[in-house]
Amino acid sequence: MFRYSCCMARSRRRGKEAAARNIRKSKFFCNFFHQCVMQCLNYGVNERYASSGDGMPESLTAVRSNWLQIGIATLTQNFATGLAFGSFGTLVLAIEHEYAASRAQSSLAISLLVISLSITASLLGRILETVSIRMVATGGAILAACGFGLASVVQEAWQFMAVYGLILGPATAMLGLLPSMTHATRWSNEHQRGLALGIVNMPILVMIVPLVIAPLLLSEGIRYILRVLAIADLCLIPVMLLVMRDANVDKRDALEPGDESVDGSHILRSPVFWLLVAGQGILAGAGTMKLAHFIPLLTEQGRSFAEANLLLAISGGAGLLGSFAFGALADRVGGAKALVLNAILQAVMWTIFLMPVSFPVLLADAVVVGACGGGIQAAFGVVLSTVFGQKHFSRALGLVSLFTLPFLFGLTPAASLLYEATGNYHLPMGLMVAGFLVAAAIFMFASPRERHVTRTTLKGDLT
């Protein structure tokens, strides 16, 4: 009996020792993983200051990026764009059948959404300087749920278009790009802002939503899909109310030069603002043009619809990588230089559209062009927040959204007219290549301004 008790005692002691060793190993690997993640997030910052010989700036050590809030911004941005834009391409034919709409009418719905989105964004830009982003985004989610719900019960095509233009457009603006990018900008320090904006602009749900709703559309119909989208927006509301927090802008502005000097009324009088509008308009308009003409161009060159559609899907998926990559690059070299590289890469890759090439070349082209398109917003956000300051970022971005609207709607029909006049895509594609080079020159001109902006010089230049 005594021997048995001794054996049991040794067994319990060994078990405790083994458990203690496992706990120590678990803590070691958790700490190791945490250090690896932090090294990745801070890599660009540490290397920049190590190479320059300067110490870590006091503002950087005082203000750390809040990755939870940046994750919430990513969620709101994806819900806004994924549910509104990601679903539309899959629903187009069902819209025509269910609401007795023509192809022009069904396409007009998304155009009206973009117009009202841009107008609302220009108004929101100033509002977000004083009003809670959490409340604005929550209101956008509620409005979007009402819009999708109402679209599921209307009977006429004009009613459906009115819902998209008058309700879903403003709702997407209140929930999507402008509040999300502003929220991420306020919760990220200036040396990790590109990475934060790159994460926010990753089009995750734009890829996932079509795959999820396609089988449901066949089995349940479009009205069921619209009700599901409304419920999805409602499910987002508790997350925002419980987790989303507004940043203390005034406190953080004191750590970043340039914010207090730029009055909002000066933005439109700034020459650099209009240069940025032109450069961003060319890049964003090219993305819209690609969506409209990519498949017709490739089928005209002898590719099947399935091949062209696959390349378009791959190009969209590459935007995930591009958003992250160009955001991180903007932290290293500056947003303007990242956009210069973006524009030059697109100029080179778009020349491939001027002649028939092999499928592997088209595949590489789809990846590079898609990555460049996905990285535009992140790098441009870095430029805008540097030049106009964190406090006025939302107003500047809202105005950019409004004034780039002619590029978004002008380049695509212009390419169509040139195609009809010449019978091929050589002239529109050639002009677009030239447009990319113009955009590269614009951002190259803006690069010194981004590097050397200070409160004194910025105020003097604007006035």
Side-chain angles (χ1 to χ4, degrees):
M1 187 70 182
F2 175 75
R3 183 178 298 176
Y4 175 77
S5 300
C6 291
C7 291
M8 291 298 295
R10 282 196 298 268
S11 298
R12 284 194 296 267
R13 187 168 58 253
R14 290 171 182 171
K16 291 179 180 179
E17 291 175 354
R21 284 195 300 270
N22 291 333
I23 291 173
R24 286 195 297 271
K25 289 179 181 178
S26 299
K27 288 182 178 180
F28 171 78
F29 285 115
C30 288
N31 290 332
F32 177 75
F33 177 75
H34 178 264
Q35 291 298 323
C36 289
V37 171
M38 295 308 297
Q39 287 295 324
C40 290
L41 293 176
N42 292 318
Y43 172 74
V45 178
N46 294 335
E47 183 173 338
R48 178 187 303 180
Y49 289 99
S51 61
S52 64
D54 298 330
M56 192 72 70
E58 187 174 353
S59 62
L60 184 58
T61 58
V63 181
R64 292 289 182 181
S65 299
N66 189 321
W67 295 102
L68 174 61
Q69 296 302 320
I70 293 168
I72 295 297
T74 305
L75 193 64
T76 58
Q77 162 70 349
N78 272 275
F79 265 70
T81 58
L83 300 188
F85 292 100
S87 65
F88 192 81
T90 306
L91 298 178
V92 167
L93 296 179
I95 292 170
E96 296 174 8
H97 179 266
E98 185 70 25
Y99 299 97
S102 65
R103 180 62 53 88
Q105 287 176 321
S106 62
S107 301
L108 183 60
I110 198 67
S111 299
L112 292 173
L113 185 148
V114 172
I115 292 173
S116 62
L117 184 156
S118 300
I119 294 173
T120 305
S122 66
L123 300 175
L124 278 177
R126 183 170 184 173
I127 294 172
L128 291 179
E129 293 179 3
T130 55
V131 176
S132 165
I133 291 181
R134 182 175 66 163
M135 292 298 101
V136 171
T138 302
I142 294 172
L143 192 60
C146 293
F148 284 121
L150 189 58
S152 71
V153 298
V154 299
Q155 301 298 323
E156 303 293 335
W158 70 267
Q159 295 171 337
F160 185 87
M161 290 187 291
V163 170
Y164 262 71
L166 299 178
I167 299 178
L168 287 177
T172 305
M174 293 170 64
L175 181 62
L177 182 67
L178 184 62
S180 301
M181 288 187 66
T182 303
H183 192 66
T185 298
R186 292 177 180 177
W187 280 110
S188 59
N189 68 60
E190 60 179 321
H191 303 285
Q192 294 177 325
R193 191 157 294 152
L195 178 61
L197 295 178
I199 293 172
V200 168
N201 284 284
M202 294 174 72
I204 300 170
L205 286 187
V206 170
M207 293 180 58
I208 294 176
V209 166
L211 301 177
V212 173
I213 68 173
L216 291 175
L217 181 64
L218 295 176
S219 60
E220 304 294 340
I222 183 173
R223 295 185 186 274
Y224 177 84
I225 296 297
L226 292 170
R227 288 193 289 270
V228 169
L229 297 179
I231 294 172
D233 276 316
L234 291 176
C235 292
L236 180 64
I237 295 172
V239 177
M240 291 189 293
L241 292 177
L242 294 174
V243 183
M244 196 174 193
R245 293 291 179 266
D246 291 299
N248 188 341
V249 180
D250 292 334
K251 180 179 178 181
R252 294 170 68 88
D253 281 350
L255 299 173
E256 295 187 17
D259 282 4
E260 296 178 357
S261 65
V262 184
D263 187 85
S265 63
H266 294 154
I267 294 176
L268 292 177
R269 299 204 303 268
S270 168
V272 71
F273 171 78
W274 294 106
L275 285 174
L276 293 177
V277 166
Q280 174 71 353
I282 293 172
L283 296 183
T288 305
M289 177 181 168
K290 185 192 77 171
L291 289 176
H293 292 282
F294 189 80
I295 291 180
L297 185 152
L298 293 181
T299 53
E300 183 182 275
Q301 292 182 353
R303 298 293 168 186
S304 67
F305 176 81
E307 288 177 324
N309 195 50
L310 174 63
L311 290 170
L312 184 61
I314 292 173
S315 184
L320 289 169
L321 175 63
S323 181
F324 184 88
F326 277 97
L329 180 64
D331 287 331
R332 298 288 303 279
V333 302
K337 285 187 176 180
L339 288 170
V340 170
L341 176 62
N342 189 301
I344 292 175
L345 280 175
Q346 293 204 66
V348 172
M349 300 307 292
W350 276 56
T351 57
I352 292 174
F353 295 140
L354 296 174
M355 64 196 79
V357 293
S358 64
F359 187 82
V361 175
L362 287 175
L363 182 62
D365 177 83
V367 172
V368 174
V369 172
C372 288
I376 292 171
Q377 286 292 353
F380 186 76
V382 173
V383 178
L384 214 59
S385 64
T386 303
V387 173
F388 295 106
Q390 188 186 76
K391 183 176 180 180
H392 298 283
F393 173 81
S394 61
R395 191 183 306 195
L397 183 58
L399 292 172
V400 169
S401 300
L402 179 64
F403 290 112
T404 54
L405 202 56
F407 292 92
L408 293 176
F409 286 97
L411 291 181
T412 299
S416 300
L417 292 174
L418 290 173
Y419 171 78
E420 293 175 357
T422 61
N424 57 58
Y425 276 103
H426 291 167
L427 182 58
M429 293 299 111
L431 291 176
M432 201 63 250
V433 169
F436 284 125
L437 296 177
V438 171
I442 289 173
F443 289 118
M444 182 65 75
F445 180 81
S447 179
R449 175 61 174 272
E450 182 189 16
R451 290 198 310 269
H452 302 298
V453 62
T454 62
R455 284 184 292 187
T456 303
T457 58
L458 184 56
K459 186 173 183 180
D461 290 346
L462 290 175
T463 56

